mmCIF file of all heavy atoms in Angstrom:
data_model
loop_
_atom_site.group_PDB
_atom_site.id
_atom_site.type_symbol
_atom_site.label_atom_id
_atom_site.label_comp_id
_atom_site.label_asym_id
_atom_site.label_seq_id
_atom_site.Cartn_x
_atom_site.Cartn_y
_atom_site.Cartn_z
ATOM 1 N N HIS A 1 0.889 -1.211 -0.046
ATOM 2 C CA HIS A 1 -0.025 0.017 -0.022
ATOM 3 C C HIS A 1 0.846 1.266 -0.021
ATOM 4 O O HIS A 1 0.348 2.329 -0.346
ATOM 5 C CB HIS A 1 -0.924 -0.029 1.234
ATOM 6 C CG HIS A 1 -2.186 -0.821 1.096
ATOM 7 N ND1 HIS A 1 -2.130 -2.187 0.906
ATOM 8 C CD2 HIS A 1 -3.487 -0.411 1.013
ATOM 9 C CE1 HIS A 1 -3.392 -2.597 0.814
ATOM 10 N NE2 HIS A 1 -4.230 -1.572 0.903
ATOM 11 N N MET A 2 2.068 1.114 0.358
ATOM 12 C CA MET A 2 3.002 2.281 0.538
ATOM 13 C C MET A 2 3.455 2.847 -0.788
ATOM 14 O O MET A 2 4.219 3.839 -0.846
ATOM 15 C CB MET A 2 4.168 1.880 1.414
ATOM 16 C CG MET A 2 3.849 1.611 2.887
ATOM 17 S SD MET A 2 5.279 1.067 3.868
ATOM 18 C CE MET A 2 6.202 2.660 3.961
ATOM 19 N N PHE A 3 3.061 2.249 -1.965
ATOM 20 C CA PHE A 3 3.423 2.835 -3.211
ATOM 21 C C PHE A 3 2.701 4.167 -3.409
ATOM 22 O O PHE A 3 3.083 5.025 -4.288
ATOM 23 C CB PHE A 3 3.062 1.836 -4.349
ATOM 24 C CG PHE A 3 1.718 1.904 -4.886
ATOM 25 C CD1 PHE A 3 1.325 2.775 -5.946
ATOM 26 C CD2 PHE A 3 0.727 1.059 -4.387
ATOM 27 C CE1 PHE A 3 0.020 2.753 -6.423
ATOM 28 C CE2 PHE A 3 -0.640 1.022 -4.865
ATOM 29 C CZ PHE A 3 -0.929 1.924 -5.929
ATOM 30 N N LEU A 4 1.664 4.416 -2.650
ATOM 31 C CA LEU A 4 0.995 5.707 -2.623
ATOM 32 C C LEU A 4 1.458 6.518 -1.447
ATOM 33 O O LEU A 4 1.456 6.078 -0.315
ATOM 34 C CB LEU A 4 -0.559 5.567 -2.528
ATOM 35 C CG LEU A 4 -1.210 4.996 -3.768
ATOM 36 C CD1 LEU A 4 -2.721 4.780 -3.459
ATOM 37 C CD2 LEU A 4 -1.007 5.904 -5.008
ATOM 38 N N PRO A 5 1.961 7.805 -1.712
ATOM 39 C CA PRO A 5 2.561 8.540 -0.579
ATOM 40 C C PRO A 5 1.674 8.775 0.604
ATOM 41 O O PRO A 5 2.164 8.769 1.756
ATOM 42 C CB PRO A 5 2.911 9.893 -1.305
ATOM 43 C CG PRO A 5 3.208 9.482 -2.690
ATOM 44 C CD PRO A 5 2.215 8.420 -3.022
ATOM 45 N N TYR A 6 0.328 8.967 0.397
ATOM 46 C CA TYR A 6 -0.536 9.164 1.518
ATOM 47 C C TYR A 6 -0.615 7.931 2.453
ATOM 48 O O TYR A 6 -0.651 8.105 3.640
ATOM 49 C CB TYR A 6 -1.947 9.584 0.993
ATOM 50 C CG TYR A 6 -2.082 10.945 0.462
ATOM 51 C CD1 TYR A 6 -0.882 11.662 -0.001
ATOM 52 C CD2 TYR A 6 -3.307 11.656 0.334
ATOM 53 C CE1 TYR A 6 -1.057 12.935 -0.596
ATOM 54 C CE2 TYR A 6 -3.453 12.870 -0.256
ATOM 55 C CZ TYR A 6 -2.279 13.520 -0.606
ATOM 56 O OH TYR A 6 -2.359 14.758 -1.262
ATOM 57 N N TYR A 7 -0.640 6.797 1.741
ATOM 58 C CA TYR A 7 -0.668 5.574 2.534
ATOM 59 C C TYR A 7 0.684 5.336 3.253
ATOM 60 O O TYR A 7 0.754 4.789 4.418
ATOM 61 C CB TYR A 7 -0.974 4.393 1.576
ATOM 62 C CG TYR A 7 -2.492 4.169 1.448
ATOM 63 C CD1 TYR A 7 -3.157 4.793 0.434
ATOM 64 C CD2 TYR A 7 -3.169 3.392 2.280
ATOM 65 C CE1 TYR A 7 -4.489 4.658 0.204
ATOM 66 C CE2 TYR A 7 -4.569 3.150 2.136
ATOM 67 C CZ TYR A 7 -5.232 3.852 1.079
ATOM 68 O OH TYR A 7 -6.589 3.692 0.937
ATOM 69 N N ALA A 8 1.832 5.723 2.545
ATOM 70 C CA ALA A 8 3.132 5.569 3.268
ATOM 71 C C ALA A 8 3.178 6.485 4.483
ATOM 72 O O ALA A 8 3.781 6.058 5.526
ATOM 73 C CB ALA A 8 4.219 6.000 2.208
ATOM 74 N N MET A 9 2.656 7.658 4.293
ATOM 75 C CA MET A 9 2.615 8.595 5.580
ATOM 76 C C MET A 9 1.826 7.953 6.722
ATOM 77 O O MET A 9 2.260 7.993 7.843
ATOM 78 C CB MET A 9 2.050 9.925 5.151
ATOM 79 C CG MET A 9 1.983 10.933 6.283
ATOM 80 S SD MET A 9 1.415 12.574 5.676
ATOM 81 C CE MET A 9 -0.373 12.114 5.250
ATOM 82 N N GLU A 10 0.670 7.390 6.402
ATOM 83 C CA GLU A 10 -0.128 6.749 7.440
ATOM 84 C C GLU A 10 0.559 5.543 8.030
ATOM 85 O O GLU A 10 0.461 5.251 9.190
ATOM 86 C CB GLU A 10 -1.523 6.457 6.937
ATOM 87 C CG GLU A 10 -2.428 7.701 6.631
ATOM 88 C CD GLU A 10 -2.630 8.454 7.911
ATOM 89 O OE1 GLU A 10 -2.940 7.853 9.019
ATOM 90 O OE2 GLU A 10 -2.481 9.732 7.906
ATOM 91 N N GLN A 11 1.258 4.805 7.087
ATOM 92 C CA GLN A 11 1.933 3.597 7.538
ATOM 93 C C GLN A 11 3.045 3.974 8.516
ATOM 94 O O GLN A 11 3.357 3.120 9.444
ATOM 95 C CB GLN A 11 2.458 2.822 6.310
ATOM 96 C CG GLN A 11 2.976 1.441 6.664
ATOM 97 C CD GLN A 11 1.918 0.559 7.364
ATOM 98 O OE1 GLN A 11 0.899 0.313 6.842
ATOM 99 N NE2 GLN A 11 2.220 0.159 8.563
ATOM 100 N N MET A 12 3.748 5.041 8.273
ATOM 101 C CA MET A 12 4.815 5.453 9.206
ATOM 102 C C MET A 12 4.344 5.628 10.655
ATOM 103 O O MET A 12 4.988 5.282 11.589
ATOM 104 C CB MET A 12 5.403 6.778 8.706
ATOM 105 C CG MET A 12 6.292 6.617 7.541
ATOM 106 S SD MET A 12 7.730 5.670 7.809
ATOM 107 C CE MET A 12 8.581 5.917 6.302
ATOM 108 N N LYS A 13 3.041 6.037 10.756
ATOM 109 C CA LYS A 13 2.464 6.217 12.103
ATOM 110 C C LYS A 13 2.182 4.828 12.754
ATOM 111 O O LYS A 13 2.035 4.730 13.931
ATOM 112 C CB LYS A 13 1.181 7.024 12.039
ATOM 113 C CG LYS A 13 1.313 8.410 11.493
ATOM 114 C CD LYS A 13 -0.031 9.060 11.353
ATOM 115 C CE LYS A 13 -0.038 10.415 10.601
ATOM 116 N NZ LYS A 13 -1.319 10.932 10.466
ATOM 117 N N ASN A 14 2.119 3.765 11.932
ATOM 118 C CA ASN A 14 1.728 2.480 12.403
ATOM 119 C C ASN A 14 2.843 1.450 12.177
ATOM 120 O O ASN A 14 2.625 0.307 11.899
ATOM 121 C CB ASN A 14 0.459 1.993 11.702
ATOM 122 C CG ASN A 14 -0.725 2.867 12.053
ATOM 123 O OD1 ASN A 14 -1.398 2.608 13.078
ATOM 124 N ND2 ASN A 14 -0.972 3.922 11.300
ATOM 125 N N THR A 15 4.062 1.914 12.188
ATOM 126 C CA THR A 15 5.244 1.070 12.053
ATOM 127 C C THR A 15 6.109 1.094 13.301
ATOM 128 O O THR A 15 6.301 2.160 13.865
ATOM 129 C CB THR A 15 6.042 1.506 10.799
ATOM 130 O OG1 THR A 15 5.265 1.367 9.644
ATOM 131 C CG2 THR A 15 7.295 0.675 10.625
ATOM 132 N N THR A 16 6.619 -0.052 13.646
ATOM 133 C CA THR A 16 7.476 -0.087 14.873
ATOM 134 C C THR A 16 8.814 -0.563 14.483
ATOM 135 O O THR A 16 9.063 -1.274 13.496
ATOM 136 C CB THR A 16 6.861 -1.026 15.935
ATOM 137 O OG1 THR A 16 6.742 -2.352 15.355
ATOM 138 C CG2 THR A 16 5.576 -0.543 16.456
ATOM 139 N N LYS A 17 9.827 -0.168 15.280
ATOM 140 C CA LYS A 17 11.177 -0.645 15.170
ATOM 141 C C LYS A 17 11.641 -1.184 16.448
ATOM 142 O O LYS A 17 11.657 -0.417 17.452
ATOM 143 C CB LYS A 17 12.133 0.509 14.675
ATOM 144 C CG LYS A 17 13.590 0.050 14.445
ATOM 145 C CD LYS A 17 14.460 1.150 13.888
ATOM 146 C CE LYS A 17 14.621 2.323 14.901
ATOM 147 N NZ LYS A 17 15.433 1.853 16.068
ATOM 148 N N SER A 18 11.974 -2.449 16.466
ATOM 149 C CA SER A 18 12.263 -3.141 17.820
ATOM 150 C C SER A 18 11.213 -2.975 18.811
ATOM 151 O O SER A 18 11.512 -2.733 19.998
ATOM 152 C CB SER A 18 13.674 -2.567 18.299
ATOM 153 O OG SER A 18 14.678 -2.766 17.323
ATOM 154 N N GLY A 19 10.008 -2.999 18.383
ATOM 155 C CA GLY A 19 8.847 -2.964 19.295
ATOM 156 C C GLY A 19 8.470 -1.571 19.698
ATOM 157 O O GLY A 19 7.396 -1.397 20.501
ATOM 158 N N LYS A 20 9.144 -0.499 19.259
ATOM 159 C CA LYS A 20 8.804 0.876 19.650
ATOM 160 C C LYS A 20 8.409 1.625 18.393
ATOM 161 O O LYS A 20 8.788 1.298 17.299
ATOM 162 C CB LYS A 20 10.070 1.507 20.334
ATOM 163 C CG LYS A 20 10.530 0.867 21.658
ATOM 164 C CD LYS A 20 11.714 1.605 22.168
ATOM 165 C CE LYS A 20 12.202 0.913 23.438
ATOM 166 N NZ LYS A 20 13.383 1.624 24.009
ATOM 167 N N PRO A 21 7.522 2.716 18.602
ATOM 168 C CA PRO A 21 7.110 3.503 17.460
ATOM 169 C C PRO A 21 8.312 4.019 16.603
ATOM 170 O O PRO A 21 9.289 4.486 17.159
ATOM 171 C CB PRO A 21 6.321 4.625 18.026
ATOM 172 C CG PRO A 21 5.797 4.031 19.357
ATOM 173 C CD PRO A 21 6.934 3.227 19.845
ATOM 174 N N LEU A 22 8.180 3.939 15.363
ATOM 175 C CA LEU A 22 9.261 4.372 14.472
ATOM 176 C C LEU A 22 9.400 5.934 14.503
ATOM 177 O O LEU A 22 10.508 6.511 14.336
ATOM 178 C CB LEU A 22 8.986 3.890 13.030
ATOM 179 C CG LEU A 22 9.991 4.439 11.964
ATOM 180 C CD1 LEU A 22 11.443 3.841 12.273
ATOM 181 C CD2 LEU A 22 9.563 3.942 10.620
ATOM 182 N N LEU A 23 8.245 6.538 14.692
ATOM 183 C CA LEU A 23 8.232 8.033 14.615
ATOM 184 C C LEU A 23 8.494 8.677 15.977
ATOM 185 O O LEU A 23 7.961 8.196 17.048
ATOM 186 C CB LEU A 23 6.918 8.526 14.082
ATOM 187 C CG LEU A 23 6.513 8.176 12.630
ATOM 188 C CD1 LEU A 23 5.249 8.916 12.214
ATOM 189 C CD2 LEU A 23 7.637 8.479 11.675
ATOM 190 N N GLU A 24 9.279 9.711 15.878
ATOM 191 C CA GLU A 24 9.501 10.547 17.130
ATOM 192 C C GLU A 24 8.461 11.602 17.283
ATOM 193 O O GLU A 24 7.884 11.747 18.326
ATOM 194 C CB GLU A 24 10.891 11.127 17.049
ATOM 195 C CG GLU A 24 11.251 11.974 18.230
ATOM 196 C CD GLU A 24 12.682 12.647 18.080
ATOM 197 O OE1 GLU A 24 13.609 11.849 17.817
ATOM 198 O OE2 GLU A 24 12.833 13.879 18.205
ATOM 199 N N ARG A 25 8.167 12.275 16.165
ATOM 200 C CA ARG A 25 7.110 13.300 16.118
ATOM 201 C C ARG A 25 6.851 13.685 14.702
ATOM 202 O O ARG A 25 7.550 13.340 13.818
ATOM 203 C CB ARG A 25 7.456 14.575 16.920
ATOM 204 C CG ARG A 25 8.724 15.298 16.485
ATOM 205 C CD ARG A 25 9.057 16.408 17.509
ATOM 206 N NE ARG A 25 10.305 17.072 17.120
ATOM 207 C CZ ARG A 25 10.363 18.145 16.324
ATOM 208 N NH1 ARG A 25 9.233 18.614 15.802
ATOM 209 N NH2 ARG A 25 11.496 18.753 16.045
ATOM 210 N N GLU A 26 5.718 14.404 14.550
ATOM 211 C CA GLU A 26 5.341 14.917 13.206
ATOM 212 C C GLU A 26 5.089 16.404 13.240
ATOM 213 O O GLU A 26 4.782 17.009 14.291
ATOM 214 C CB GLU A 26 4.037 14.203 12.755
ATOM 215 C CG GLU A 26 4.120 12.740 12.662
ATOM 216 C CD GLU A 26 2.733 12.122 12.360
ATOM 217 O OE1 GLU A 26 1.856 12.085 13.223
ATOM 218 O OE2 GLU A 26 2.532 11.717 11.176
ATOM 219 N N ARG A 27 5.193 17.003 12.072
ATOM 220 C CA ARG A 27 4.865 18.424 11.994
ATOM 221 C C ARG A 27 4.479 18.751 10.515
ATOM 222 O O ARG A 27 4.899 18.040 9.599
ATOM 223 C CB ARG A 27 5.975 19.328 12.466
ATOM 224 C CG ARG A 27 7.217 19.398 11.582
ATOM 225 C CD ARG A 27 8.356 20.075 12.242
ATOM 226 N NE ARG A 27 9.578 20.202 11.406
ATOM 227 C CZ ARG A 27 9.886 21.395 10.838
ATOM 228 N NH1 ARG A 27 9.125 22.451 10.963
ATOM 229 N NH2 ARG A 27 10.967 21.432 10.061
ATOM 230 N N THR A 28 3.806 19.858 10.380
ATOM 231 C CA THR A 28 3.464 20.381 9.092
ATOM 232 C C THR A 28 4.378 21.470 8.677
ATOM 233 O O THR A 28 4.539 22.462 9.465
ATOM 234 C CB THR A 28 2.018 20.859 9.039
ATOM 235 O OG1 THR A 28 1.130 19.819 9.301
ATOM 236 C CG2 THR A 28 1.640 21.397 7.648
ATOM 237 N N ILE A 29 5.025 21.381 7.518
ATOM 238 C CA ILE A 29 6.015 22.406 7.070
ATOM 239 C C ILE A 29 5.235 23.456 6.200
ATOM 240 O O ILE A 29 5.415 24.568 6.442
ATOM 241 C CB ILE A 29 7.173 21.748 6.274
ATOM 242 C CG1 ILE A 29 7.915 20.762 7.176
ATOM 243 C CG2 ILE A 29 8.073 22.782 5.756
ATOM 244 C CD1 ILE A 29 9.020 20.006 6.544
ATOM 245 N N LEU A 30 4.541 22.954 5.258
ATOM 246 C CA LEU A 30 3.670 23.856 4.471
ATOM 247 C C LEU A 30 2.205 23.461 4.644
ATOM 248 O O LEU A 30 1.890 22.278 4.524
ATOM 249 C CB LEU A 30 4.030 23.774 2.918
ATOM 250 C CG LEU A 30 5.426 24.326 2.529
ATOM 251 C CD1 LEU A 30 5.566 24.168 0.989
ATOM 252 C CD2 LEU A 30 5.560 25.767 2.902
ATOM 253 N N ASP A 31 1.397 24.409 4.953
ATOM 254 C CA ASP A 31 -0.018 24.085 5.234
ATOM 255 C C ASP A 31 -0.916 24.743 4.225
ATOM 256 O O ASP A 31 -1.256 25.923 4.232
ATOM 257 C CB ASP A 31 -0.369 24.604 6.650
ATOM 258 C CG ASP A 31 -1.700 24.054 7.158
ATOM 259 O OD1 ASP A 31 -2.240 23.166 6.475
ATOM 260 O OD2 ASP A 31 -2.194 24.550 8.154
ATOM 261 N N TYR A 32 -1.315 23.933 3.215
ATOM 262 C CA TYR A 32 -2.235 24.376 2.215
ATOM 263 C C TYR A 32 -3.365 23.376 2.140
ATOM 264 O O TYR A 32 -3.268 22.233 2.538
ATOM 265 C CB TYR A 32 -1.530 24.448 0.796
ATOM 266 C CG TYR A 32 -0.492 25.501 0.709
ATOM 267 C CD1 TYR A 32 0.872 25.192 0.593
ATOM 268 C CD2 TYR A 32 -0.888 26.823 0.671
ATOM 269 C CE1 TYR A 32 1.864 26.202 0.494
ATOM 270 C CE2 TYR A 32 0.044 27.866 0.491
ATOM 271 C CZ TYR A 32 1.429 27.505 0.425
ATOM 272 O OH TYR A 32 2.366 28.469 0.321
ATOM 273 N N SER A 33 -4.475 23.772 1.560
ATOM 274 C CA SER A 33 -5.633 22.925 1.342
ATOM 275 C C SER A 33 -5.314 21.949 0.230
ATOM 276 O O SER A 33 -4.479 22.126 -0.701
ATOM 277 C CB SER A 33 -6.817 23.758 0.901
ATOM 278 O OG SER A 33 -7.178 24.639 1.944
ATOM 279 N N GLU A 34 -5.986 20.731 0.326
ATOM 280 C CA GLU A 34 -5.860 19.693 -0.691
ATOM 281 C C GLU A 34 -6.318 20.267 -2.047
ATOM 282 O O GLU A 34 -7.344 20.908 -2.131
ATOM 283 C CB GLU A 34 -6.682 18.474 -0.274
ATOM 284 C CG GLU A 34 -6.411 17.246 -1.082
ATOM 285 C CD GLU A 34 -5.042 16.644 -0.623
ATOM 286 O OE1 GLU A 34 -4.689 16.638 0.648
ATOM 287 O OE2 GLU A 34 -4.306 16.105 -1.495
ATOM 288 N N HIS A 35 -5.579 19.916 -3.135
ATOM 289 C CA HIS A 35 -6.035 20.369 -4.426
ATOM 290 C C HIS A 35 -7.238 19.546 -4.837
ATOM 291 O O HIS A 35 -7.292 18.369 -4.771
ATOM 292 C CB HIS A 35 -4.907 20.122 -5.443
ATOM 293 C CG HIS A 35 -3.765 21.188 -5.404
ATOM 294 N ND1 HIS A 35 -3.170 21.666 -6.513
ATOM 295 C CD2 HIS A 35 -3.292 21.895 -4.355
ATOM 296 C CE1 HIS A 35 -2.302 22.549 -6.183
ATOM 297 N NE2 HIS A 35 -2.321 22.710 -4.882
ATOM 298 N N MET A 36 -8.279 20.314 -5.247
ATOM 299 C CA MET A 36 -9.525 19.661 -5.768
ATOM 300 C C MET A 36 -9.499 19.722 -7.318
ATOM 301 O O MET A 36 -9.282 20.763 -7.921
ATOM 302 C CB MET A 36 -10.764 20.421 -5.230
ATOM 303 C CG MET A 36 -10.798 20.421 -3.676
ATOM 304 S SD MET A 36 -10.767 18.733 -2.943
ATOM 305 C CE MET A 36 -12.386 18.180 -3.469
ATOM 306 N N ARG A 37 -9.746 18.513 -7.938
ATOM 307 C CA ARG A 37 -9.761 18.394 -9.333
ATOM 308 C C ARG A 37 -11.148 18.082 -9.786
ATOM 309 O O ARG A 37 -11.628 16.945 -9.760
ATOM 310 C CB ARG A 37 -8.740 17.243 -9.819
ATOM 311 C CG ARG A 37 -7.330 17.620 -9.594
ATOM 312 C CD ARG A 37 -6.394 16.453 -9.925
ATOM 313 N NE ARG A 37 -6.565 15.319 -9.018
ATOM 314 C CZ ARG A 37 -5.893 15.273 -7.880
ATOM 315 N NH1 ARG A 37 -5.081 16.203 -7.524
ATOM 316 N NH2 ARG A 37 -6.154 14.179 -7.111
ATOM 317 N N ASN A 38 -11.868 19.108 -10.180
ATOM 318 C CA ASN A 38 -13.234 18.998 -10.635
ATOM 319 C C ASN A 38 -13.309 19.025 -12.195
ATOM 320 O O ASN A 38 -12.969 19.985 -12.795
ATOM 321 C CB ASN A 38 -14.129 20.168 -10.064
ATOM 322 C CG ASN A 38 -14.248 20.084 -8.587
ATOM 323 O OD1 ASN A 38 -14.400 19.001 -8.006
ATOM 324 N ND2 ASN A 38 -14.062 21.196 -7.868
ATOM 325 N N GLY A 39 -13.707 17.917 -12.753
ATOM 326 C CA GLY A 39 -13.683 17.806 -14.219
ATOM 327 C C GLY A 39 -14.887 18.540 -14.781
ATOM 328 O O GLY A 39 -15.944 18.743 -14.133
ATOM 329 N N PHE A 40 -14.800 18.870 -16.076
ATOM 330 C CA PHE A 40 -15.892 19.449 -16.856
ATOM 331 C C PHE A 40 -16.579 18.358 -17.637
ATOM 332 O O PHE A 40 -16.035 17.781 -18.540
ATOM 333 C CB PHE A 40 -15.278 20.568 -17.774
ATOM 334 C CG PHE A 40 -16.401 21.324 -18.528
ATOM 335 C CD1 PHE A 40 -17.450 21.893 -17.878
ATOM 336 C CD2 PHE A 40 -16.233 21.473 -19.849
ATOM 337 C CE1 PHE A 40 -18.441 22.653 -18.560
ATOM 338 C CE2 PHE A 40 -17.202 22.175 -20.571
ATOM 339 C CZ PHE A 40 -18.283 22.752 -19.932
ATOM 340 N N PHE A 41 -17.799 18.027 -17.272
ATOM 341 C CA PHE A 41 -18.522 16.834 -17.833
ATOM 342 C C PHE A 41 -18.489 16.760 -19.307
ATOM 343 O O PHE A 41 -18.265 15.727 -19.880
ATOM 344 C CB PHE A 41 -19.890 16.728 -17.224
ATOM 345 C CG PHE A 41 -20.666 15.521 -17.698
ATOM 346 C CD1 PHE A 41 -20.201 14.251 -17.262
ATOM 347 C CD2 PHE A 41 -21.634 15.579 -18.570
ATOM 348 C CE1 PHE A 41 -20.916 13.049 -17.668
ATOM 349 C CE2 PHE A 41 -22.388 14.407 -19.049
ATOM 350 C CZ PHE A 41 -21.940 13.182 -18.579
ATOM 351 N N PRO A 42 -18.847 17.898 -20.057
ATOM 352 C CA PRO A 42 -18.786 17.834 -21.526
ATOM 353 C C PRO A 42 -17.459 17.454 -22.110
ATOM 354 O O PRO A 42 -17.397 17.112 -23.288
ATOM 355 C CB PRO A 42 -19.180 19.228 -21.924
ATOM 356 C CG PRO A 42 -20.097 19.727 -20.778
ATOM 357 C CD PRO A 42 -19.366 19.226 -19.526
ATOM 358 N N LEU A 43 -16.402 17.483 -21.360
ATOM 359 C CA LEU A 43 -15.074 17.058 -21.859
ATOM 360 C C LEU A 43 -14.716 15.673 -21.370
ATOM 361 O O LEU A 43 -13.626 15.141 -21.698
ATOM 362 C CB LEU A 43 -13.969 18.024 -21.393
ATOM 363 C CG LEU A 43 -14.074 19.473 -21.950
ATOM 364 C CD1 LEU A 43 -13.003 20.316 -21.451
ATOM 365 C CD2 LEU A 43 -14.094 19.521 -23.482
ATOM 366 N N SER A 44 -15.525 15.037 -20.613
ATOM 367 C CA SER A 44 -15.206 13.749 -19.954
ATOM 368 C C SER A 44 -15.518 12.552 -20.972
ATOM 369 O O SER A 44 -16.238 12.665 -21.874
ATOM 370 C CB SER A 44 -16.104 13.528 -18.730
ATOM 371 O OG SER A 44 -17.443 13.370 -19.040
ATOM 372 N N PRO A 45 -14.853 11.448 -20.654
ATOM 373 C CA PRO A 45 -15.044 10.249 -21.587
ATOM 374 C C PRO A 45 -16.494 9.733 -21.564
ATOM 375 O O PRO A 45 -17.003 9.319 -22.551
ATOM 376 C CB PRO A 45 -14.059 9.232 -21.022
ATOM 377 C CG PRO A 45 -13.729 9.650 -19.688
ATOM 378 C CD PRO A 45 -13.825 11.158 -19.733
#
């Protein structure tokens, strides 16, 4: 599932190394809204 970056990010939160959480902490460096891709139906297949 980790071939998708979003799944890789979530998997990092649920991965352990030697029985302990792999992550020390998380933070947001750039905070923007998710890009929304709304198609134009008359141009759709």
Side-chain angles (χ1 to χ4, degrees):
H1 278 64
M2 294 176 69
F3 85 90
L4 291 176
Y6 288 20
Y7 275 89
M9 180 177 66
E10 289 301 313
Q11 188 58 59
M12 287 293 187
K13 301 175 187 178
N14 294 273
T15 298
T16 58
K17 182 175 68 68
S18 301
K20 297 179 181 180
L22 177 63
L23 296 188
E24 180 180 308
R25 61 187 176 90
E26 300 177 285
R27 70 188 184 106
T28 298
I29 298 175
L30 292 179
D31 192 10
Y32 291 110
S33 300
E34 194 75 37
H35 280 216
M36 301 301 293
R37 292 176 291 275
N38 295 318
F40 183 51
F41 183 69
L43 297 178
S44 69

